[in-house]
């Protein structure tokens, strides 16, 4: 499907070790430190921190791609969206039962430090992403 360049976003979802997803989209939704943000074509330039959560990408073909991401950065400029995260997984790469078991292990650890809470948020994001894929 040929789209006018002012009606699509060029999106790259990048983890520290690999390019997770790249392609054209009509919308991207991500969770920033200020809350959820929706990016449409011709969005104003933006640089924001993202938190552990789920990223939704609506492709020009009408598909929805879902990924679980760790904290990182979101950059928007000239219809280009870059999402940079330490770790990122597409929902179809996540085993839902394993993700649920990991979430329970993290919750039962019972530690109240920041690292333990980060592990719980990461596990919750993986479960949410995998549930959307199933």
């Amino acid at each position: 499907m040929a789209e006018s360049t002012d009606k699509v976003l060029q999106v790259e979802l990048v983890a520290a070790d690999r390019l997770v997803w790249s392609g054209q989209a009509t919308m991207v939704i991500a969770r920033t430190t200020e809350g959820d943000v929706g990016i449409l074509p011709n969005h104003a330039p933006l640089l924001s921190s993202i938190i552990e959560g789920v990223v939704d990408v609506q492709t020009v073909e009408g598909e929805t791609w879902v990924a679980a991401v760790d904290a990182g950065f979101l950059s928007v400029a000239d219809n280009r969206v870059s999402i940079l995260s330490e770790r990122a997984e597409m929902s179809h790469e996540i085993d839902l039962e394993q993700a649920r078991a990991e979430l329970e292990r993290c919750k039962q650890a019972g530690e109240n430090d920041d690292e333990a809470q980060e592990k719980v948020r990461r596990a919750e994001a993986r479960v949410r992403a995998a549930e959307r894929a199933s």
Side-chain angles (χ1 to χ4, degrees), residues 17-79:
D17 61 344
R18 67 187 176 118
L19 175 64
V20 178
W21 190 88
S22 178
Q24 292 187 328
T26 57
M27 180 173 60
V28 176
I29 300 171
R31 178 155 293 170
T32 71
T33 55
E34 303 297 316
D36 287 351
V37 63
I39 308 297
L40 296 171
N42 300 315
H43 194 282
L46 172 70
L47 179 60
S48 184
S49 295
I50 59 172
I51 60 173
E52 294 86 359
V54 175
V55 171
D56 287 287
V57 178
Q58 302 288 322
T59 71
V60 293
E61 292 86 14
E63 297 177 312
T64 300
W65 291 92
V66 179
V69 299
D70 281 359
F73 297 96
L74 169 72
S75 171
V76 180
D78 299 323
N79 286 332

Side-chain angles (χ1 to χ4, degrees), residues 49-107:
S49 295
I50 59 172
I51 60 173
E52 294 86 359
V54 175
V55 171
D56 287 287
V57 178
Q58 302 288 322
T59 71
V60 293
E61 292 86 14
E63 297 177 312
T64 300
W65 291 92
V66 179
V69 299
D70 281 359
F73 297 96
L74 169 72
S75 171
V76 180
D78 299 323
N79 286 332
R80 297 187 65 80
V81 178
S82 297
I83 301 166
L84 310 170
S85 177
E86 181 69 27
R87 285 182 288 262
E89 293 177 90
M90 296 306 295
S91 59
H92 64 270
E93 298 172 332
I94 301 169
D95 181 298
L96 181 55
E97 292 310 312
Q98 286 181 348
R100 286 179 175 155
E102 178 65 20
L103 176 57
E104 285 308 310
R105 278 193 299 275
C106 289
K107 286 181 175 179

